[in-house]
Amino acid sequence: MTNSNCYIDRLPDDVLRMVFESVCEKDQAAFHDYSMQNEVQKGRYWDDWYQDDYWHDDSEKESNGPPPSALIAAMCVCNRWHCLMSQIPALWTVVQISFGDCAASLEKVRTFLKLSGTHPLKIMLLWNDAHNPFNGAPRRTSPSYDLNVNIPALVDQSIAGAYLVLIILELYAHVHRWREFTLRTTSKTRIRQALVLMSRPSVHPVNMLEKLHLQLVHDQLKVDRRHHHEPLIFPGSTPPINDLILFGTSWSWLSPSIFSSHLVNLRIHYCTDGGNRNAATTTNALLQLLGALVNLQTLALELDIDPLLRAYISPIALPRLHYLAMKSRKMHCWIEDFLHFLHMPNLRILTLDGVSSEFMLIEIQFEGILQELIRLTDKNPSSSLLELDELHLVNFAHHTDPQLLHRLYKQMTSVKVLTLGPGAFYANDEFAMGLLPTSRELADFPLPGLRTLVVFDIPRSFVRRIVLERLSLVGPLEELYYQEPDSRPVPEEEEDIIVPDDWQHQVEKYHRIDNLKSDRYCDVVSRQWSYLA
């Protein structure tokens, strides 16, 4: 069909611009959806805690390849469209590249860099093989490919590495235009290649970068123990980064100048077990870096790390920190001291995740964390050091002293939301029963300001007691989210006991939890689950 007979060629330029902008938005949304398809099995996500022995099911459905770029396809419709799209730099400022693009990825990068002009860039690189989505999982046998099937063929790893080097070099020449940069890969070799290239001196300073996400999926980049520091990326620059994720990659690659007052959101996932540490990856070194983050508002530390050396650290203030999540299989090693040395007057939401129900802390080890929370919430003549609105406990399979728990609950007068999440099994019984009043005195009442309770895996009889026994003193709960135990054995003396249904209507809003999206703390805290009728 010639242009003269094509109805769409009659559309004015301003209408076509809106069409192209819509195509651009759909391209970006499709790639985002593709980027989230990183499950090996149901319930496994790219940012799950790394485990050497995680299970892989070869029978699972193959991953689809990256979605084709409708934007680039539109460029080929006719000369007019090509000319008009080439004159709209804003269409080409989001560079989304996948391993599955193969050789076309390099040409795609060059096209976007050329047509975006001098505009700021948002870059996302997914360097994952669609048939080997997690490092260490068995590579899947590729099907016979048809040109009409949108599944990428396997590419030799050395060729893939060469493409990544060329792409990083092309992008790094425009580093002064980077507004956002995300690299997610399954390969330690690939992420080290990228970091080494980004540690080269640049002609242009990195003065626009606001978001930096470096993500090594289900693995971690080991430190070089022969040296105190890795090469520092962006040498000679002080990028104004406000959103930083280091996942499987240590902070030793970053200059201390990156940990500045610009930083608002920070997430670090790293382990220093097995001797994987140097002078730059100790807990003390990390704490010193955090001391400069005076404007930090959200902090997530997912660490298995060595204990703090108390003699070599001074108290640190995070005056604007609002949300803190700490996830660890070794909570007893560092969390108590971490809470002790940080002054967080505006902290309102605290999440503690024990990672695995199979890793049990003995009671005396966990009591140190409780004692520190008791110290922080103890009322002095002016105010307490910590006044939480929300407390979330996930995978918290740790038993505790009831008297210690009661003292903590009694002091937490400001807490409005309590989550006793999945993965705790019988330990949730203790934390739930701690909500029962021990006297008729309001001053001795546990969590007197509690309005929303989210609880998993405790018997219905416990929930009933909590609802009814708290009702007469502090009124009804505004919201109750409850998931009954799935396969929990019932004690013999309780087998014939029927729990009356006289408590649900005593809650303003009662919700029965069905299936969780995942047991990750981020999904539990944000209530990503379905409901039963």
Side-chain angles (χ1 to χ4, degrees), residues 239 243 264 299 303 310 380 431 509:
D243 188 345
V264 175
L299 174 62
L303 306 172
R310 284 187 171 228
N380 58 38
F431 283 90
K509 294 181 180 179

Side-chain angles (χ1 to χ4, degrees), residues 46 123 247 481 519:
W46 73 264
I123 301 165
F247 199 93
Y481 298 82
D519 61 0

Side-chain angles (χ1 to χ4, degrees), residues 492-508:
E492 186 176 344
E493 62 273 14
E494 298 181 12
E495 286 182 354
D496 298 326
I497 296 178
I498 299 175
V499 180
D501 288 330
D502 58 350
W503 53 275
Q504 295 95 331
H505 66 280
Q506 300 293 348
V507 179
E508 293 183 16

